[in-house]
Amino acid sequence: MKTDDDEGRTLGASQDGSETARDRDARPDGRDETVDERADRRWAELLQELRVAQTGMQILFGFLLAVVFQPRFTELNDVDHAIFVVTVGFGAATVGALVGPVSLHRLVAGKGLKPQTVTIASRMTLTGLLLLFCTMVMVFLLILRVALHDTLAFWLVAGMGLWIAAWWFAIPLWARHRAHRMPRH
């Protein structure tokens, strides 16, 4: 039987002392929630994350779609045209991955698959963030190649790519690793 550390009372036990569904489903992270409550909470958190990522991607993708209609676009050399095409491809793939959780949810809503839906949608979102990273690096490369016309663009893009990768991936993975090594109270 689990007890609340602060007060020593039993959590999730019915009056006859038997274990309840809430007690069986309580997580080691200290949350007292059922599997369905946890899925609902995780889904709400994921939606908030998606709102941020989707907004940024919509602005970036809109910029990419407008570039091709600018008069200077025809002045780009073959390498820059290729970078643009790859960038638009990454952008479209990013939109697909970041909108995917919405479609997934709509197609399976009400089928009793919320925990599985959250897991799959989380993976789609992480894939979308990786693709967004690639899209941003490619956009930055294209812009700096046009603006600077020299190899300095590659060094600046590499530095910015490392900076973004650190904030988006390295630091969160480090925090996750560190949290798993720390004893739980």
Side-chain angles (χ1 to χ4, degrees), residues 10-99:
T10 301
L11 291 178
S14 63
Q15 288 188 347
D16 66 359
S18 64
E19 188 177 55
T20 66
R22 181 174 294 277
D23 187 47
R24 285 190 307 274
D25 295 336
R27 306 289 301 173
D29 63 5
R31 294 183 185 270
D32 183 27
E33 56 191 5
T34 66
V35 170
D36 288 339
E37 289 169 339
R38 181 171 190 261
D40 289 341
R41 176 182 54 80
R42 289 183 63 218
W43 182 253
E45 291 171 355
L46 183 62
L47 286 179
Q48 287 299 102
E49 295 165 5
L50 282 168
R51 284 184 182 106
V52 171
Q54 286 174 344
T55 301
M57 189 56 225
Q58 287 170 346
I59 293 167
L60 189 57
F61 199 57
F63 161 77
L64 287 172
L65 296 177
V67 165
V68 75
F69 298 106
Q70 300 304 312
R72 281 196 62 198
F73 184 77
T74 58
E75 298 172 18
L76 295 179
N77 63 38
D78 289 343
V79 172
D80 292 332
H81 274 255
I83 291 171
F84 176 78
V85 170
V86 169
T87 304
V88 169
F90 273 128
T94 303
V95 170
L98 292 178
V99 175

Side-chain angles (χ1 to χ4, degrees), residues 50 53-54 57-58 61 87-105 120-121 123-132 135:
L50 282 168
Q54 286 174 344
M57 189 56 225
Q58 287 170 346
F61 199 57
T87 304
V88 169
F90 273 128
T94 303
V95 170
L98 292 178
V99 175
V102 176
S103 176
L104 172 68
H105 182 263
I120 295 167
R123 291 177 184 154
M124 288 177 168
T125 302
L126 184 56
T127 300
L129 290 174
L130 287 167
L131 289 166
L132 180 56
T135 306

